[in-house]
Amino acid sequence: MAILWILATIFTGQSINSDLGSRSTSALGTSVQNPAFNVQGRDVAVSGTVFSPAEASQIAGAVDQVWGVRKVLIDAKQPDVAKPFNWGITHEGSGVVLTGNVPNPTTRDKIVSAAKTAFSGAEIKDEMQYASGAPTAYDGGVQFGLAQLARLAKGSVSLSDTGLAISGTAATSDAYEAITAALKTMPQDLTLAKSEITAPAPVAAAAPAAAPTPAATSTTAAAATAATTAASTVASALAPSSFSFDALREAGKLTLSGNYPDDDAHGKIIDAAKNLFASDEISDELKVAPGAPNGFTTAALGGLNALSRLAKGSFSLSGTDAKLSGEALYNGAVKSIQDSFAAAIPEGFKATPAEIAVSAPAAAVDAPNCQSLLNTLLSKSKINFDTGKARISPASSGVLDTIVATIGRCSNNAVEVSGHTDSSGDEAANVALSEQRAKAVVSYLIDAGVPASRLTAIGLGSSRPVASNDTDEGKALNRRIEFSVK
């Protein structure tokens, strides 16, 4: 009996251990790399590789929920820290080799998937190893490097922490120019350690020169298209799922948030914001990110221009979807804003019809206060025209709409609109131009609903300067439109 009891205990214990181990493995799924279990009675020890302290905690919770487990010991560890944190990719012939460090399985899968898409038909050899310590620029650097390598007929890209090195031969002349331009606007926190890119060798001309065959032309075009498409595909595969841009205007403040693709686009957006919203406080919360759709900057600038005509509102880009909503300053502006917004969004984007209401009218003011409001507005903003012409710049629509609303508050007063120039050129021509510009402003006001009987336009040329004409800055101040409330 004693012998039977001992044998039963041994075999039953082994069965229980096996069962607990099996059910614990099932509970973990794939959250542990190379998991191993040591079951002693009802106690389970788990070892393997995890990629964050949070994952270790989740593992303990998952195993603890397995029926029959009494105690859980987690011996899983994160990969060793790599310093420097290196990564590389090489493309030659029909082979692509991925080497270096990768921080976790999710990122690994994205990189391998992007490489397969970018180099369709190539054999992808994954030799990457898990390591901790990836810099914040890692994901963006890998994406950027893959996108450039996709433009090379053969070559390699490597990362060492935040330094990127690239070498190889461009697939086409267009691809060479695209890589050269891209390397001038590196992603944030990434530096160019080395660049050895060569242009494709020129094709020797035959004598006499023969017209290219349709097949040859098709092959060349296909190569250029493939390089561009591959680079775009890589960006899509590794980039955030939605590249977004948001602008919110309320209470005298413009808040910009979301993404921008490079420093050039960021600079243009900020310059436009300062020009269009000169009287507003501007809060720049934008962050650089990959994945911007083609035409992003044009769409962002067009949306900001439309937003500048709203008393308050918002403009957003989510991928290629553009939306505008808010309150116009007066009834006549609603359709004009909707139409201009639709026209400003470039091809390839979808502009949702702008949802524009009308702000409640502000309280009426007397002539002195009306004059003060106009003077304050024009001390911060300016009505601009095409150089040497009387055509109002579209970027001035916002300040003109505010002027329309302001004049509407002093409805019993006449308003004189005067044009002024600097002293350059013939004075008679200056007077004529200044009068044409004043009349252009009056026409805008009348079209917006201000009675023509209340408005007059005069041109004063350079006769009333407000600054010295000896400097460019002074001349710019002298070129102006003024309003006199009678």
Side-chain angles (χ1 to χ4, degrees), residues 7-19:
L7 292 174
T9 301
I10 292 172
F11 289 111
T12 301
Q14 290 175 345
S15 177
I16 292 172
N17 289 358
S18 176
D19 177 59

Side-chain angles (χ1 to χ4, degrees), residues 16 30 184 238 269 328 333 367 399:
I16 292 172
T30 59
K184 293 179 180 178
L238 287 177
I269 289 169
V399 64

Side-chain angles (χ1 to χ4, degrees), residues 245 254 256 263-280 282 284 286 297 300-301 304-305 308 380 384 395:
F245 173 85
L254 176 71
L256 302 173
D263 290 342
D264 180 64
H266 186 229
K268 289 178 179 177
I269 289 169
I270 297 303
D271 288 345
K274 290 178 179 178
N275 183 37
L276 293 168
F277 304 89
S279 60
D280 291 4
I282 298 175
D284 178 13
L286 293 167
T297 304
L301 297 180
L304 286 175
N305 194 24
S308 72
K380 298 177 180 179
N384 293 307

Side-chain angles (χ1 to χ4, degrees), residues 134-144 159 161-163 187-191:
T136 55
Y138 177 84
D139 287 354
V142 169
Q143 180 222 317
F144 180 81
L159 282 173
D161 286 335
T162 59
Q188 190 176 28
D189 298 329
L190 200 67
T191 59

Side-chain angles (χ1 to χ4, degrees), residues 152-304:
L152 299 179
K154 62 178 181 178
S156 65
V157 173
S158 64
L159 282 173
S160 182
D161 286 335
T162 59
L164 181 140
I166 182 170
S167 62
T169 302
T172 65
S173 297
D174 288 343
Y176 177 78
E177 293 178 3
I179 296 173
T180 303
L183 294 178
K184 293 179 180 178
T185 55
M186 300 281 287
Q188 190 176 28
D189 298 329
L190 200 67
T191 59
L192 184 61
K194 184 179 74 171
S195 173
E196 295 178 350
I197 304 298
T198 58
V203 179
T213 65
T217 302
S218 175
T219 300
T220 302
T225 301
T228 301
T229 301
S232 176
T233 303
V234 168
S236 299
L238 287 177
S241 59
S242 179
F243 190 94
S244 65
F245 173 85
D246 296 279
L248 175 66
R249 186 185 199 186
E250 60 181 357
K253 182 177 181 179
L254 176 71
T255 302
L256 302 173
S257 58
N259 312 124
Y260 65 88
D262 50 52
D263 290 342
D264 180 64
H266 186 229
K268 289 178 179 177
I269 289 169
I270 297 303
D271 288 345
K274 290 178 179 178
N275 183 37
L276 293 168
F277 304 89
S279 60
D280 291 4
E281 174 190 353
I282 298 175
S283 176
D284 178 13
E285 300 175 5
L286 293 167
K287 297 181 179 179
V288 67
N294 291 333
F296 163 78
T297 304
T298 301
L301 297 180
L304 286 175

Side-chain angles (χ1 to χ4, degrees), residues 455-481:
L455 302 169
T456 56
I458 61 170
L460 298 174
S462 63
S463 62
R464 297 183 184 178
V466 293
S468 171
N469 280 303
D470 294 333
T471 64
D472 291 339
E473 293 79 6
K475 288 181 178 180
L477 292 172
N478 289 331
R479 297 190 296 269
R480 68 195 190 280
I481 293 290

